[in-house]
Amino acid sequence: ALRIVRQLMDLSNRDRTDWWYSLNLATSQEVLCLCGTVVEILRREDSLVEVPLPCRVYGDIHGQLLDLLEFFNAFSWPDKRRGDIFSMSYVFLGDFVDRGAYSVDVVTLLFSLKILYPRKVFLVRGNHEDRLMNANYGFHENCQRKFSAEGTELWERINDVFEFLPIAALIDNSILCIH
């Protein structure tokens, strides 16, 4: 998980044309391992997660990894090396996948962040974290394109993890966040 976050931190400072067509964050086996680890963390969370202030809220990433990296570079990374993870919580309000070209990579990054910082990073389920929805809007295709024969198995496993995502976040006991 840490290798994935650090790799993206390093890549985000380079010219995109050097890497954006050939990005390979993790093997299918590594993504399956991330799924197994993150689901154990998510099993312990309630369907409504309580998040302290201060926090940053991101929504509707839709596979747009490059945009997410721009936000992290502009406002700080959720990491201890080049960020503010010890003083800031992060909420990601669903729709991590579909439409954009980097859905698998977005999920890989978000699962890695959740594993590294389980009490500071919160992933909330959106309507695209659903098999029927993301089968029709590009996530399944993205998994197959990126991982060939193993793509469908990976898509199934990631969707299994989505079943355990909380459906809402309550920030500072006063701001309800639902996708």
Side-chain angles (χ1 to χ4, degrees), residues 53-77:
L53 285 175
C55 73
R56 290 194 171 91
V57 180
Y58 292 90
D60 292 270
I61 300 166
H62 280 295
Q64 300 293 337
L65 179 68
L66 303 176
D67 292 344
L68 182 60
L69 297 180
E70 289 293 326
F71 279 125
F72 286 168
N73 283 333
F75 300 108
S76 193
W77 277 76

Side-chain angles (χ1 to χ4, degrees), residues 80-171:
K80 62 183 178 184
R81 184 174 84 178
R82 208 176 93 197
D84 57 1
I85 196 66
F86 295 120
S87 63
M88 184 75 61
S89 295
Y90 285 77
V91 177
F92 296 90
L93 282 182
D95 284 9
F96 313 131
V97 300
D98 290 335
R99 299 188 182 133
Y102 297 95
S103 291
V104 176
D105 301 305
V106 167
V107 168
T108 301
L109 173 59
L110 295 179
F111 284 3
S112 296
L113 290 169
K114 182 67 180 172
I115 291 165
L116 291 170
Y117 309 108
R119 295 176 186 254
K120 300 298 269 180
V121 172
F122 300 91
L123 308 177
V124 174
R125 189 174 185 175
N127 60 308
H128 283 262
E129 283 71 53
D130 175 83
R131 276 181 176 80
L132 294 176
M133 181 70 81
N134 65 45
N136 292 315
Y137 284 91
F139 183 47
H140 186 256
E141 180 185 323
N142 183 239
C143 290
Q144 287 182 313
R145 186 174 54 252
K146 193 161 188 84
F147 294 106
S148 303
E150 299 160 321
T152 296
E153 176 191 1
L154 193 66
W155 175 79
E156 289 283 354
R157 185 66 180 118
I158 292 170
N159 272 287
D160 289 344
V161 174
F162 289 164
E163 298 286 333
F164 290 91
L165 290 171
I167 58 170
L170 183 61
I171 299 173

Side-chain angles (χ1 to χ4, degrees), residues 44-61:
R44 294 188 295 261
E45 289 187 341
D46 292 328
S47 57
L48 173 69
V49 290
E50 295 184 22
V51 181
L53 285 175
C55 73
R56 290 194 171 91
V57 180
Y58 292 90
D60 292 270
I61 300 166

